[in-house]
Amino acid sequence: MTEPFDPYRKWLGIPAQDQPPNHYRLLGIERFETDPDVISNAADGRMAQVKNYQAGKYSKHSQRILNELAAAKVCLLDLAKKADYDRQLREQDAEQAKRFAGPPPPRVIDLIARPPVAAPDFETFRPISYRSRRRRKPSPWTVPLLLLAAGTLFVAAVVFWSKFPH
């Protein structure tokens, strides 16, 4: 089974966790951007990109996203609408921060001010062994090879003593 077509992800690179995108994310610009030229150019660029898909299989998606891009451009270029929209985004951010509030991350100054970590006790310190703790099973040839080596040494000793009698 194929997954449904996601034009935000496919055409604009907006992942599912960022959907529905806010106006800034939709245009691909920094949040709370204030430069009207940046906003206008970003909107025009995104619209040109999405217009490439108007005549294709996903023309309905294309038209919907073009409408959203136009609405974002109009909203962010009108100072009164932009101020209201930015206020709403900040309120949403504050609500999310309250919901996901946990312990704050440590600040650099807190990390520096912490007392040093105690040195390890070297009397109980054990070096890490890189060998396996399991004993390996001896080879079936171990005993016969040891017997062969002992027999060879015995024969060599007998030959040595027979050449040099006392």
Side-chain angles (χ1 to χ4, degrees):
M1 188 163 134
T2 61
E3 63 183 56
F5 180 72
D6 183 0
Y8 292 110
R9 189 172 68 80
K10 297 285 187 179
W11 298 341
L12 304 176
I14 301 172
Q17 66 264 19
D18 292 345
Q19 294 180 23
N22 62 52
H23 292 336
Y24 297 102
R25 183 70 168 108
L26 187 63
L27 298 180
I29 57 178
E30 287 294 316
R31 207 169 173 138
F32 308 117
E33 177 64 54
T34 57
D35 189 343
D37 290 333
V38 171
I39 295 168
S40 181
N41 291 334
D44 293 343
R46 291 287 192 152
M47 286 179 179
Q49 180 182 356
V50 174
K51 281 181 184 178
N52 291 328
Y53 305 104
Q54 270 184 320
K57 178 179 172 183
Y58 301 110
S59 61
K60 288 184 181 180
H61 293 291
S62 172
Q63 191 57 49
R64 179 175 49 85
I65 291 181
L66 283 170
N67 290 340
E68 290 177 20
L69 289 166
K73 181 178 179 180
V74 168
C75 176
L76 295 180
L77 290 177
D78 183 320
L79 292 179
K81 289 180 182 178
K82 181 180 182 328
D84 187 44
Y85 184 75
D86 288 351
R87 182 187 50 74
Q88 290 174 2
L89 278 181
R90 286 189 173 94
E91 287 174 1
Q92 288 175 359
D93 290 347
E95 288 174 18
Q96 283 183 345
K98 286 179 186 176
R99 269 189 282 155
F100 297 111
R107 298 178 306 180
V108 174
I109 192 71
D110 293 338
L111 295 174
I112 294 171
R114 287 186 183 166
V117 177
D121 182 13
F122 288 106
E123 291 178 8
T124 59
F125 179 74
R126 295 175 128 184
I128 297 173
S129 172
Y130 294 102
R131 294 184 184 166
S132 174
R133 298 242 182 233
R134 257 183 356 162
R135 288 192 66 139
R136 290 188 348 179
K137 203 173 178 182
S139 169
W141 292 97
T142 304
V143 173
L145 287 175
L146 286 174
L147 290 174
L148 180 65
T152 305
L153 283 173
F154 179 75
V155 170
V158 169
V159 169
F160 178 77
W161 286 109
S162 66
K163 291 217 175 203
F164 302 103
H166 286 70

